[in-house]
Structure formats: structure tokens, C-alpha cells
Amino acid sequence: MTPPGSRAAQAMPLRKLAAEKGLVYGTTISAAQISTDHEFVDLVLQQVGLVVAENDMKWQDMNRGRPGKDDYGAADTVAAFGIENDLALRGHNLLWYYRTPTWFFDLATRRDQERAVVEHIQRLAGRYRGMVHSWDVVNEPIEPKDGRPDGLRTAVFVETLGPEYLDLAYRVARETDPTARLVVNEYDVELDTPDHEARRTTLLNLLERMRRSGTPVDVVGIQAHLCCAGGPPFSASRLRRFLADVAGLGLTIQITELDVTDENAPADLAERDQLVADTYSRFLDAALDEAAVKMVVTWGLSDRHSWIARRETNESKWRSDGVPSRPLPFDADLKAKLACEAIANAFVHAPQRVAG
Ligand code: XIL
């Protein structure tokens, strides 16, 4: 039997359904996948209009243990793949506390840290100047639980450089690649909990400050790593209000890392796939109501290559019963699932918008 998802997807690939509404649909990819998994690459070329390196452009992943010693080989492979295939390219990311090379922590002075940040941004954003649709300049800048009045994450950059590191990073990114849209990318701002609400408020305050002080920022990236069972509640109206607040600041919005973990869902495949698909529908139906949302990127395209299914870390969210996770639109055999149909339907029902 043909799974229902494949009918929608085969009739019209996700990228086309998205493009008809002024949206861009994209996925992560890696240099390793590009060179070894041709079947997967074919699916990517059929389904998406944009690619983003899952890890290959992260500073720590590229760095070879010393300042200035970055290996751009894998990053170049992803960028070239995008350009050669006429796909838009997201840059992920210029700064992320979690993937900063270890030597950076030993830089004692403000001057040394500032120089390292500036040079890194100039080299990386400069290398792909004119090729990148959007750069996640700072990934995950806030953490209200760290206790600062401004809600900024205390880790790494704030410690020595102060909150001005944000202004510095966005200015250097703008100077280096003036055509790239500059993004603040953040997680856990989607759901209906006090924690997510506090993060939304903090993020809005940060964006307001950046706008007021003339710091060049164009886009808010909402990661949207969701969960289909046993997770916090979702409120469509809360999400819509937040997105409207972001749009009110004159910014556009990208959904940058969408996926749905099935960690607490029953093992039964049909039931699990339905729960995952319903989660995609609920989230996208609400999010795409807002015309400032211009892009949807899933954090992978097939369960074959999901960070959730990969179990590369020991994080507790991966399923403990050994049943392979099914968080993405296509399964590990590259067959469309109900999740694919849910995304296709969300695009079909989305209001028309001006592309951006
Ligand atoms: C993840 C990758 O998918 C993993 O392969 C890697 O081990 C860790 O990073 N938020 C982000 C992404 O901004 O860069 C993360 O990607 C997922 C969470």
C-alpha cells in the first residue's frame, strides 16, 4: 500500500508547494552525505529549495586546535552543492557558545577574544560572501535561567566581551557579507509554558534593544525542536501572538530546525507516525498564519540522517526502548510518511506571502 504521505509529496515536492506561497523549504545536509548517500541526495534535490550544513560550518567542527587553523573542506562541499544545484544556502552558524574551539576559552584579554571573534566571522562569512541567503550570526544567545537582568546566556562571549559582543558580531557579519540576511536563532520559544514565555519575553527585549541601537538584524530563527507526546502543551494563539510581536519589530521569521521527537510516543508505528504528523500540522498551521514567516527548514529530511535517530549523544530524549525514532518527513528508506503529508498540507493551506 502506498503510504498517504507519498501521494502528496510525489504529486508536488515540498519545495514547490512552499514556493507557491512565497515560502522556502529546506533541510540540513552534510559533506559526508553528499559524497556517500546518492539516493538521499536525489531526494534532497527533489524536495528542497535550500540547504544548511548540519555541523560542517560550526567553528569547533572546522577548527584544527589552533587559532586561525580552520579546515573549510566540508563546509565548501556543502556550499558548492547548494550553488551548483541552484539551492539557497543558510549559514549555520558564525558564533555558538556550544561549538566554540577550546583554545578560545584560554584567551585572557578582551582584545584577544574580540580579535578572534572578528577574524572568524570575516573568514567564514567572507569565504561565502554573496552566496548565503541567511546567516545564523549568534546561535542561542539567551538563557534567562542564567540570571542576568538582560537574560543573555552568560557562557563564553558575555563573560569577557560583555553584551556588546552581539553588536560586534552582527556589524562585522553585515560588513563582510552585506547581502546575507542576519538571523538571531533561538530554541524553546514555541510552547505554552512559563519557561518558554520567559524566553520569548527575553528574546523580544533583546531584539528591541538591537533594533533601537541600530545593530543589523533582519530575521528571528525559531528552531522548533518539538516533541509529539508527553511534552509541554502548545498554544496556537500564544505562538501567533509571539510571531506577530516579532513581525511588529520589522523582522521576518524563519523556522530553522523543525523536527518532532517521538521519545515518549507508543512504539506502534502507525500511532507514532500519526502523533508526529499531528504535531507538525498543529505547529505549522499556527506558524504559517503569520505572513512574516518566510522559511521552513526541517533538521534533516529523512529519519536515516536525523540527529535524533542517530543516537550520537546520550541525551535522554532519544528513545530508550531501542525502537528507531521517526522524527522527519521521510523514513529511513526515503519513503514519505504522514509527517510529509502534514507539511505538504500546511504549505497548501498557508496564506500567500511576499517572499523574503
Ligand atoms: C546538532 C546536530 O544535529 C548534531 O549532529 C550535533 O551533534 C549537535 O548539534 N540546535 C542547533 C543545531 O542550533 O546546530 C544542533 O545540531 C541542534 C540544536
Side-chain angles (χ1 to χ4, degrees):
M1 197 186 90
T2 317
S6 48
R7 283 198 295 274
Q10 276 161 15
M12 182 80 99
L14 293 174
R15 72 184 154 82
K16 286 210 174 136
L17 295 171
E20 286 193 346
K21 297 302 172 66
L23 286 159
V24 181
Y25 173 65
T27 180
T28 54
I29 197 160
S30 70
Q33 289 156 17
I34 291 168
S35 49
T36 59
D37 193 346
H38 303 294
E39 207 190 9
F40 174 69
V41 166
D42 285 346
L43 183 70
V44 168
L45 293 177
Q46 180 190 79
Q47 295 292 332
V48 312
L50 171 143
V51 286
V52 52
E54 181 175 1
N55 291 305
D56 294 333
M57 287 192 191
K58 291 172 184 171
W59 195 359
Q60 194 181 40
D61 293 68
M62 295 187 306
N63 188 252
R64 294 295 167 260
R66 278 192 294 135
K69 286 284 160 221
D70 294 321
D71 178 348
Y72 293 100
D76 284 354
T77 300
V78 173
F81 176 80
I83 305 302
E84 279 160 17
N85 292 295
D86 219 8
L87 303 174
L89 184 66
R90 283 193 99 256
H92 179 75
N93 49 56
L94 294 173
L95 294 180
W96 188 18
Y97 77 98
Y98 188 60
R99 279 288 187 273
T100 304
T102 42
W103 53 260
F104 185 90
F105 298 82
D106 298 329
L107 298 175
T109 70
R110 185 187 171 96
R111 214 166 133 247
D112 288 347
Q113 287 202 8
E114 214 169 79
R115 188 185 312 141
V117 161
V118 169
E119 285 178 357
H120 171 62
I121 294 176
Q122 286 173 338
R123 271 198 303 266
L124 182 53
R127 193 172 182 89
Y128 306 114
R129 181 189 165 97
M131 302 179 199
V132 173
H133 179 284
S134 313
W135 263 115
D136 291 330
V137 178
V138 179
N139 198 30
E140 305 179 352
I142 63 157
E143 183 45 274
K145 284 182 188 150
D146 282 355
R148 287 176 56 94
D150 59 12
L152 290 183
R153 184 181 288 282
T154 55
V156 194
F157 306 108
V158 167
E159 277 164 14
T160 307
L161 297 179
E164 307 88 78
Y165 89 90
L166 283 156
D167 187 59
L168 178 72
Y170 282 83
R171 282 185 193 286
V172 174
R174 178 69 95 223
E175 279 162 26
T176 308
D177 187 354
T179 59
R181 295 157 186 80
L182 304 185
V183 186
V184 174
N185 198 41
E186 201 41 270
Y187 71 98
D188 277 3
V189 291
E190 305 87 13
L191 302 179
D192 188 15
T193 68
D195 180 34
H196 283 230
E197 184 66 16
R199 295 175 61 82
R200 283 191 284 272
T201 307
T202 299
L203 184 57
L204 284 169
N205 289 340
L206 169 65
L207 295 165
E208 232 165 46
R209 282 200 305 280
M210 290 172 82
R211 295 294 271 173
R212 241 194 343 258
S213 62
T215 304
V217 55
D218 309 301
V219 182
V220 174
I222 295 177
Q223 292 187 6
H225 293 291
L226 306 176
C227 163
C228 77
F234 172 72
S235 156
S237 61
R238 289 243 158 166
L239 180 69
R240 279 200 294 258
R241 198 176 61 209
F242 171 60
L243 299 180
D245 287 345
V246 172
L249 294 171
L251 300 165
T252 60
I253 300 160
Q254 299 173 354
I255 309 302
T256 52
E257 304 186 13
L258 181 59
D259 58 12
V260 179
T261 74
D262 55 5
E263 53 184 317
N264 299 315
D268 178 79
L269 209 116
E271 215 179 321
R272 199 145 48 99
D273 280 0
Q274 188 66 57
L275 285 169
V276 169
D278 290 348
T279 307
Y280 274 107
S281 294
R282 259 196 312 276
F283 176 78
L284 284 176
D285 288 349
L288 296 182
D289 256 2
E290 170 55 63
V293 175
K294 310 289 188 188
M295 182 189 288
V296 175
V297 177
T298 47
W299 205 240
L301 187 63
S302 150
D303 297 334
R304 183 185 289 187
H305 294 305
S306 166
W307 70 313
I308 292 165
R310 199 182 294 145
R311 294 167 175 274
E312 62 189 1
T313 72
N314 289 321
E315 290 178 49
S316 57
K317 68 176 152 195
W318 314 155
R319 286 188 73 90
S320 53
D321 58 7
V323 173
S325 289
R326 296 170 63 84
L328 288 169
F330 291 82
D331 72 11
D333 295 324
L334 311 182
K335 298 268 175 348
K337 300 187 303 179
L338 289 172
C340 184
E341 191 173 33
I343 297 171
N345 284 334
F347 290 157
V348 168
H349 295 127
Q352 189 70 45
R353 68 213 58 220
V354 179

